[in-house]
């Protein structure tokens, strides 16, 4: 009964994409007419399906246009009993091995999303109490668990567990929402699939519930105040028995009256069309489980809400930590946003973010305007600016900031030259020394962390190489400077690999790989015995080292095996590394995406999917999808940060289309779950950006013919020279034969499920796998 998002009718007269309703006359049978209003001289009727808790809201205009807003909600309370897959949290905290990951991957097949979801309590749920301790009374000013806002407003509005904001409290009208038990057993979600409209649902009996909907007024133009629309309803046996509408504040008659229902629904339709416009550039995707597409789009909606004007960088929301200006120039805000927007086709947004950052936050020496620079992030910055040019061919932006980017490259060169002045038998010879983590600069002895992290040199190599190639293309030919960067990149790459191989502890099983050469203890041992520990924040240099993608496969696998064995992952996600403690273990919500990317490159797909599922279910709040910087796995509320939020868009994009970092090669469907492939429902991405132009893929099984078919379209013939198409059918099912454009082909790869295609002079490919 719904129209795909982005194709629905517009509310504004100037919008050309309004379409006639495709709803059959019976589509609204059983739906309740709840309001009628006029917008731009057009009459709209609003229907709601109250027969189910997640019944949609449908707008239908007098001239046949329509708009359907889906509802969704997930339990915000623990559902698994016992928690943690029956394992002891004390054992989980003390073990070097990631016990939860081991159990979830034990079958050797793709992890079960439901099992991953049950592996820990939801973010935002109460931390377990000791036996016999009564629950505390609900505090109306308890920690917020989501927020709303608009692109234009320079602040955000927190929303609390019972649906309160800081200016409007539904529990004034619905006293049931003062009951801590009812609030604790709520379901959280969104209205509109991916849109930043908060939905909270509170069951009060088997057949009744209270629903709260909150969203920001997109027509308001207050600089810092987010004006909010509110609807709170009681639904009993499929009928609304009480409804209260609000706007920002409680009524103060006669001057301030509660809004009429039709005002609320008019604002809701305007809100939906506003967000459709802002997300129009998002690369179209269609997945068997559309919640993943919704999650990816929602991350960008949250970014626009968090960034004042949709551009100015902010690390967090609401609270001083992390909304204070001392975080604004943090490199991870810039690099994560640039990467995610580029990969999902949002070029205009990436352009604005790059221009803002390089104008306001980078000086003439290439230094960022923030307390503690992170050395590897300078290399990533150069790599991402190369990616921007490769995707957009926009040389103007690069030229505008070329002097600053050259200064960044020069800074890395000078730091490398300093390392070459060391004695050749020094473990740090040829490796760039510098801070890895910004917080190092706050310590009494920040020089303790001025170290030759492998990641520093790895990302310098990646950044110099990628930027050299981009400038060569931009300048229509090689330059001596570009060639010098390529030579230095190779030197850095070789030095990093050599130092890592020399430093690896091969007497352990698996071999231990540290984050910099010359360590005498593992990171956990150092954290326990050294105060302060020079191996603090080991998670960052591990993730950045892998993301730089300069290591041979054998060495990259060794790094991952070491991380999993010695305490650097939690439920398959990079851990917020700390000393071993009973009852404690945490997920690192941001930075960790580099680890996931390498899992996929190495064809460790089952682990990649575990990372994807665990990040969704244990670093995000359920349903409302607020991502934490660091999230414990015992419940409780994590601090939100936007780089963590943008992890899911990257992972979803990469599972569908992934570039080889160096070779003329594209990977299609490399990380798609087997269950999706065999479902018969399409796995589709359209116009995904790559350095060879935009590409598309459609993959689906055809049960009737016992086959699976992947269709791939490139931007132009022969670019890239090779594509790899993975057909991840059920593990117990064998592919009997494969063909490409009707020609017999061979299967390759670790699981004999990948078709390697030399593109030649073709741009369209149909890959067909016949099943036994």
């Amino acid at each position: 009964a719904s129209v795909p998002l982005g194709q629905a009718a517009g509310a504004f007269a100037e919008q050309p994409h309004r379409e006639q309703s495709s709803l059959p006359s019976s589509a609204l049978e059983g739906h309740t007419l709840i309001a009628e209003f006029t917008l731009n001289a057009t009459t709209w009727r609003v229907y709601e399906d109250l027969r189910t808790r997640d019944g949609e809201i449908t707008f239908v205009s007098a001239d046949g246009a329509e708009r359907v807003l889906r509802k969704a909600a997930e339990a915000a309370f623990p559902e698994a009993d016992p928690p943690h897959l029956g394992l002891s949290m004390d054992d989980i905290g003390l073990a070097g091995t990631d016990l939860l990951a081991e159990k979830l991957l034990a079958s050797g097949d793709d992890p079960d999303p439901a099992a991953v979801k049950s592996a820990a309590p939801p973010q935002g749920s109460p931390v377990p109490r000791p036996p016999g301790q009564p629950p505390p009374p609900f505090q109306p000013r308890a920690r917020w668990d989501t927020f709303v806002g608009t692109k234009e407003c320079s602040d955000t509005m927190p929303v609390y567990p019972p649906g309160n904001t800081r200016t409007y409290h539904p529990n004034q009208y619905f006293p049931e929402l003062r009951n801590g038990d009812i609030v604790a057993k709520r379901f959280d979600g969104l209205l509109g699939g991916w849109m930043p409209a908060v939905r909270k649902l509170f069951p009060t009996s088997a057949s009744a519930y209270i629903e709260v909907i909150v969203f920001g007024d997109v027509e308001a133009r207050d600089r810092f105040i987010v004006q909010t629309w509110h609807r709170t309803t009681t639904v009993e046996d499929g009928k609304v028995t009480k409804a209260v509408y609000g706007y920002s504040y409680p009524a103060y008659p006669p001057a301030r009256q509660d809004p009429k229902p039709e005002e609320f629904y008019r604002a809701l339709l305007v809100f939906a069309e506003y967000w459709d416009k802002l997300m129009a550039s998002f690369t179209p995707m269609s997945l068997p489980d559309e919640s993943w597409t919704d999650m990816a789009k929602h991350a960008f909606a949250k970014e626009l809400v968090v960034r004042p004007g949709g551009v100015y960088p902010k690390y967090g929301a609401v609270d001083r930590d992390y909304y204070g200006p001392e975080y604004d120039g943090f490199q991870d805000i810039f690099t994560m946003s640039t990467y995610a927007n580029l990969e999902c086709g949002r070029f205009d947004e990436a352009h604005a973010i790059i221009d803002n950052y390089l104008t306001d936050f980078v000086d003439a020496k290439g230094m960022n305007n923030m307390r503690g620079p992170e050395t590897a992030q300078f290399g990533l910055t150069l790599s991402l600016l190369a990616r921007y040019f490769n995707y957009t061919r926009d040389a103007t932006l690069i030229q505008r900031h070329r002097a600053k980017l050259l200064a960044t490259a020069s800074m890395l060169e000078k730091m490398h030259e300093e390392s070459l002045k060391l004695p050749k038998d020094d473990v740090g010879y040829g490796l760039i020394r510098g801070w890895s983590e910004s917080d190092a600069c706050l310590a009494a002895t920040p020089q303790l962390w001025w170290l030759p992290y492998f990641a520093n040199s790895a990302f310098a190599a990646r950044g110099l190489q990628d930027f050299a190639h981009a400038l060569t293309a931009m300048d229509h030919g090689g330059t001596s400077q570009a060639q010098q960067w390529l030579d230095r990149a190779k030197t850095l790459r070789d030095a990093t690999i050599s130092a890592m191989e020399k430093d690896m502890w091969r007497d352990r099983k698996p071999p231990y790989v540290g984050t910099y050469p010359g360590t005498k203890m593992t990171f956990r041992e150092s954290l326990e015995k050294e105060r302060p520990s020079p191996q603090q924040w080991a998670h960052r240099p591990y993730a950045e080292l892998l993301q730089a993608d300069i290591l041979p496969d054998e060495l990259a696998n060794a790094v991952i095996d070491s991380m999993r064995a010695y305490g650097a992952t939690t439920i398959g996600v990079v851990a917020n590394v700390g000393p071993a403690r009973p009852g404690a273990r945490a997920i690192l919500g941001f930075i960790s995406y580099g680890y996931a990317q390498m899992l996929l490159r190495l064809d460790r797909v089952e682990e990649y999917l575990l990372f994807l599922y665990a990040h969704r279910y244990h670093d995000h709040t359920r349903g409302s999808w607020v991502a934490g910087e660091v999230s414990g796995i015992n419940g409780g509320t994590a601090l939100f940060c936007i780089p963590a939020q943008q992890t899911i868009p990257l992972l979803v994009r990469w599972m569908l289309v992934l570039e080889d970092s160096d070779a003329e090669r594209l990977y299609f469907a490399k990380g798609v779950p087997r269950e999706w492939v065999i479902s018969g429902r399409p796995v589709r991405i359209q116009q995904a950006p790559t350095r060879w132009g935009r590409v598309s893929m459609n993959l689906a099984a055809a049960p009737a013919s016992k086959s699976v078919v992947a269709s791939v379209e490139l931007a132009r013939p022969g670019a890239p020279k090779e594509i790899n198409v993975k057909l991840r059918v059920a593990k117990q099912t064998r592919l009997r034969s494969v063909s490409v454009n009707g020609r017999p082909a061979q299967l390759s790869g670790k699981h004999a499920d990948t078709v390697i295609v030399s593109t030649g002079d073709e741009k369209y490919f149909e890959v067909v796998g016949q099943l036994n």
Side-chain angles (χ1 to χ4, degrees), residues 427 454 497-527 529-530 535 542 555 558-559 561-563 565-566:
V427 294
F454 297 127
I497 293 170
S498 175
M500 289 181 65
E501 290 177 338
K502 188 182 300 182
D503 192 70
M504 190 184 301
W505 300 9
R506 301 181 188 277
D507 58 332
R508 301 217 178 180
K509 190 174 180 180
Y512 176 76
V513 182
T515 57
Y516 61 91
T519 56
K520 304 303 180 186
M521 290 182 274
T522 68
F523 55 82
R524 268 191 160 188
E525 291 166 348
S526 174
L527 289 165
K529 296 175 182 178
E530 298 182 280
Q535 297 195 54
Y542 274 131
L555 191 52
V559 174
D561 293 342
S562 180
M563 291 174 69
Y566 298 108

Side-chain angles (χ1 to χ4, degrees), residues 241-261:
T241 57
K242 182 178 180 181
V244 176
Y245 296 85
Y247 183 76
S248 299
Y249 312 110
Y252 186 86
R256 178 184 290 152
Q257 303 280 359
D258 284 333
K260 298 176 182 178

Side-chain angles (χ1 to χ4, degrees), residues 500 546 551-561 598 602 604:
M500 289 181 65
L546 292 169
L551 305 180
D553 287 357
E554 183 179 3
L555 191 52
N557 275 308
V559 174
I560 290 172
D561 293 342
M598 184 51 69
L602 295 172
R604 299 174 71 149

